[in-house]
Structure formats: structure tokens, C-alpha cells
Amino acid sequence: MEAQIEKAASLLCRSRVSLALTGAGISVESGIPDFRSPGGLWERYDIIEYASITAFQKNPEKVWTLLSEMYDTITHAKPNPAHLGLGRLEQMERLHTVITQNIDNLHQEGGSTHVIEYHGNFKTLSCLSCGSKYPIEDVVDRLPPKCRCNQILKPDVIFFGEAIPPEALRDSYELAAACQALLVIGTSAEVTPANTIPGVAKQAGATIIEINLQPTHLTESVTDLFLPGKAGEIVPQLVAAVEADTSRR
Ligand code: NAD
């Protein structure tokens, strides 16, 4: 394993542009459950009934039972060593950008400044009826939060059936096509179009380094280096190896 981590570190040190694509798994050690692991949110909530835009339009109160639970968990969560490690890699100029599918703001809290939020963020909410927008802290005293026009607000996160923010989509593909190394951390890669990013990077010649508790469908198809284990343990080892590699030069 040590040799594999050193190899990954060497790849990051020799890449002009390195990226990370992260998923819910990177925040599990911060206490936020992912969706698809055993005990994950989809064991208790049906995807179609709770995470699609049509479900929200049909019954926003019901969808807010999931959203309230997520909001409560997210507000109490702190960045873990994996988030902090990616922040440190950016500071060392070994990581250009984090593309995250997460909505929890933990990369920014962990020191990353170049973050593409592919699925939006829970920090603001919008009214689907009149278009008003609110910072979450202004409206969470009563859940589900309501607009001044009395409609239930929707967090600015991307539900199934909604389009990815165009800028996030464009910037992610442009960077993926320009990178030489891509870290893929804590994602099952089941959600499209985010799961097409590793293929775009691979086609452009990048090396794909995957960190996950278990193999995914990427592992056999595009991954060059699979580092099995908890992100909160592997990423700090990777950072230490990058620091050692840098100091040797
Ligand atoms: P997912 O639940 O489908 O998959 C999580 C992956 O992370 C799995 O492959 C699992 O093996 C791996 N994993 C779990 N714990 C890990 C750990 N400690 N270290 C390394 N890997 C670990 O998540 P996804 O692929 O991101 O797709 C789910 C969607 O749900 C995303 O679009 C995301 O927006 C959303 N989501 C976000 C949050 C959040 O913001 N924290 C939480 C739940 C879901």
C-alpha cells in the first residue's frame, strides 16, 4: 500500500493540472451518511419519492423530511482529514480544483478554494413559484421553510430530473480534458453526468487514482491506481507522501 501511495504522490507531483472528483463517501467520516452504502440514506428513503424534482413539486413537505435530516446533519458536520488534506494539496499547488457532488460545504471549510459544486449547495434556497432566493440561516427557524409568498422553499441543490448548473458542467469537462491526474474519492459513480468525468479525463490521457472502501464500476474500466480504504486515512498519507516527494527535489 505504501508503494501505491508513493506512486500516486509522484503522479500528483509530476502533473501540471491535477483534479479531485469527490462524492458522499468523503464526508461519511464527518458523520454525514452517504446514499448507497449499507445504512446509507437510500435504505430509508426511496430515491424517486424523495430526491426527484417532480417529487418536490408534488409534495414538498414530504421531501423536507429527508431535507431536514440532511440539513441538521450537515450543519453539525466538520471537515475531516480527507477534506483538510485536499485543502493542503491545493495550498501546495499539487491540486488545481475539487469537483464535488456534495452539497455540504466541507471542502471549502477544509481549506479548498477552487471548488466546483456540481450538484449545488444547501446554503441558499429558492422559491419555485416567485423566484425569490434566501440564505438558509434566514429561513430555517421553521421547517419546512417558506417564502414570503407562502410557497415551500427548495434548497439550491440539484434534484434528479434537474439540469446541472451550466457553468459547473462546462468547467468540469474543460478541466477534465486538461488534467494529467484525477483523484476520484468516495463516489459510487452511479450518478450521471458526474460519473462521465473520469472517462473524459482518461481519454485525454490522465491517470485515474481512485480512493474508496470498495471497488466501483470505474475500478475495472478507467482506474489506473486503486487505493482501498477510508478517505480520511488514505488522503493524509497521500499528502505526507507528496510533502516527502516535494522535499526530495
Ligand atoms: P454514493 O452514496 O452513491 O456512494 C458513496 C461511495 O463512497 C461508495 O462507493 C462508498 O463505498 C464510498 N465510501 C463510503 N465511505 C467512504 C469512506 N470513508 N472513504 C472512502 N469511500 C467511502 O455517493 P455519490 O456517488 O456521491 O452519489 C450520491 C449523490 O448524493 C451525490 O450526487 C451527492 O450529491 C449526494 N449526497 C451528498 C451528500 C453530502 O453532501 N455529504 C451526502 C449524501 C448524498
Side-chain angles (χ1 to χ4, degrees), residues 23-25 27-29 32-37 41 70 101-104 119 186-189 191 211-214 216 229-231:
S27 295
V28 166
E29 289 159 80
I32 306 175
D34 64 7
F35 276 166
R36 291 177 181 79
S37 291
L41 291 167
M70 282 193 85
Q101 300 168 80
N102 297 341
I103 54 170
D104 55 27
H119 290 157
T187 176
S188 63
V191 179
I211 300 173
N212 200 308
L213 294 178
Q214 59 195 13
T216 67
K230 290 183 175 181

Side-chain angles (χ1 to χ4, degrees), residues 204-226:
T207 303
I208 313 297
I209 304 158
E210 187 180 13
I211 300 173
N212 200 308
L213 294 178
Q214 59 195 13
T216 67
H217 71 88
L218 296 177
T219 316
E220 284 304 309
S221 54
V222 295
T223 299
D224 296 290
L225 202 52
F226 182 66

Side-chain angles (χ1 to χ4, degrees), residues 29 54 94 109 111 128-129 142 156 168 172 189 203-204 239:
E29 289 159 80
T54 42
R94 296 292 172 229
E109 290 176 34
L128 296 181
S129 177
R142 200 169 54 110
D156 291 333
S172 303
Q203 261 199 326
V239 174

Side-chain angles (χ1 to χ4, degrees), residues 184-200:
V184 180
I185 309 175
T187 176
S188 63
E190 294 292 337
V191 179
T192 47
N195 63 358
T196 61
I197 292 170
V200 171

